[in-house]
Amino acid sequence: MDLLIKNGTIVTPKDTFKADIGVKDGKIVAIASNITEKAQEVVDASGKYVMPGGIDAHTHMEMPFMGTTTVDDFEYGTIAAAFGGVTTILDFAIQPKDKTFLETISLWRGKADPKVVVDYGIHVAVTNLTEDLVKEIPKVLEAGVSSFKLFMPYRKEGLMSDDGRIYRMLEESRRLGFLVQLHAENNSVLELLIERYVSLGKLSAEYHAKSRPNFVEGEAVHRGLALAAAAGGNLYIVHMSTKEGVAELSRMKKLYSNLYGETCPHYLILTDEKYLSPKGRRYIMSPPLRGKADNEALWEGLANGTLSTVATDHCTFTDAQKDLGKDNFTKVPNGVPGTETMIPILYSEGVSKNRISLNKLVEVVSYNPAKLFGLYPRKGTLNVGSDADIVVFDPDFEMELSQENLHSRIDYSIYEGVKVKGMPIHVFVRGKPVVYNREFVGKKGTGKFVPRGKYQPLN
Ligand SMILES: [Zn+2]
């Protein structure tokens, strides 16, 4: 054996039990109590949890957006991911309007392959759907990409798809077995409200949130789910932020299967009061932060299974980049960091506060994304035969989150001063340590592109 992790408490979506894990050639080869076979490296995990690596199914590394580019490239972004116990990221390749899906994937692989320190996959973010591109989809599936994101908003930024195109992709998702991801906000209403605030000279960060009130998401979630049910398609709503959205998803899931929702750590623990602070623009992302009742509805949605995943929408802009909109919220590049702090926040704010169980944490950051995005059983679980993507998690490790002790290239943290208890201390990708004793020991370019299979429905 190459690696033996001894005396840990293994956590899966279903069970928590003491066992050792043996690894050879990047795969898990044994899970049993007291493995005595010799190994090149032995890690003592007494008093620690041993969990499958996290899958952050929503990141934007090196993404050009709103006239600038996210500051975390695939190297820094995946180092940050690794420190947070994330061993696979799924990044959005944004289709340039004149490129095919396959060309878009090559473009993104060109950026990612030489730099990634953890494994990664790609979703295509569709910006210009044509019937020719619909015909290309079977080849895209063969290339290992089985999810396509469409945007209801961002007309002016050139990303929007209208309802007809969304419906068309949902039809194909049924026929070909892929997953459609949807950014659900009502574009024409939010444009109207933005114009109204701008004309009144109301340009500070709080008007970002005021121009995208809860119903702007709630209505769009309803519309997306209704289109999916009508088309018989497979739909996953990204970054859900409102109690209205969760209520609608819960209602529609009873009528039709193949509907899923994702939320993000910032929607679980932050509120729109942040926009009133002098650095309010740091918190500008879409959809915006909401109220306490929304935080609670999202936790509840995770606990009861209405929401299936947590991912981060990691999309980093420095203060200097955010300052492009110093005097006008409409010019602030949208996005916040998150991949490094996702699992620690879910543990400290979710598990320790009895909002979700530890098994549920593993389910929403590993198992469910692995199934939905066609990575299971290679990833998302600790089973004999699976990739040895393993996190050794110390539930007693205390840390105050700060830009100083996090690894993104961004020059602030949106969680400055938040205290967490419980951190990943060792992180292995295919059996190789990337973080060890909270030191980076990985190497640029050693992460791999993971071709994904078809969407697998959750029960
Ligand atoms: Zn996003």
Side-chain angles (χ1 to χ4, degrees), residues 58 60 92 149 151 183 238-239 313 315:
H58 193 147
H60 298 282
F92 288 94
K149 180 183 186 182
F151 298 84
H183 177 148
V238 295
H239 52 47
D313 206 359
C315 184

Side-chain angles (χ1 to χ4, degrees), residues 86-104:
V86 168
T87 54
T88 305
I89 64 163
L90 300 179
D91 201 83
F92 288 94
I94 314 287
Q95 178 204 3
K97 291 225 182 270
D98 58 342
K99 296 258 189 287
T100 68
F101 295 153
L102 288 171
E103 287 166 346
T104 302

Side-chain angles (χ1 to χ4, degrees), residues 20 24 35 52 70 78 85 96 119 124 140 162 175 190 207 224 255 261 265-266 322-323 330 372 374 401 433:
D20 301 344
K24 191 170 170 47
I35 297 174
T70 54
T78 55
D119 286 354
V124 173
V140 178
D162 62 17
R175 206 168 68 82
L190 69 87
Y207 293 97
L255 305 174
H266 43 272
K322 290 280 185 180
D323 284 351
T330 68
L372 292 172
L401 301 179

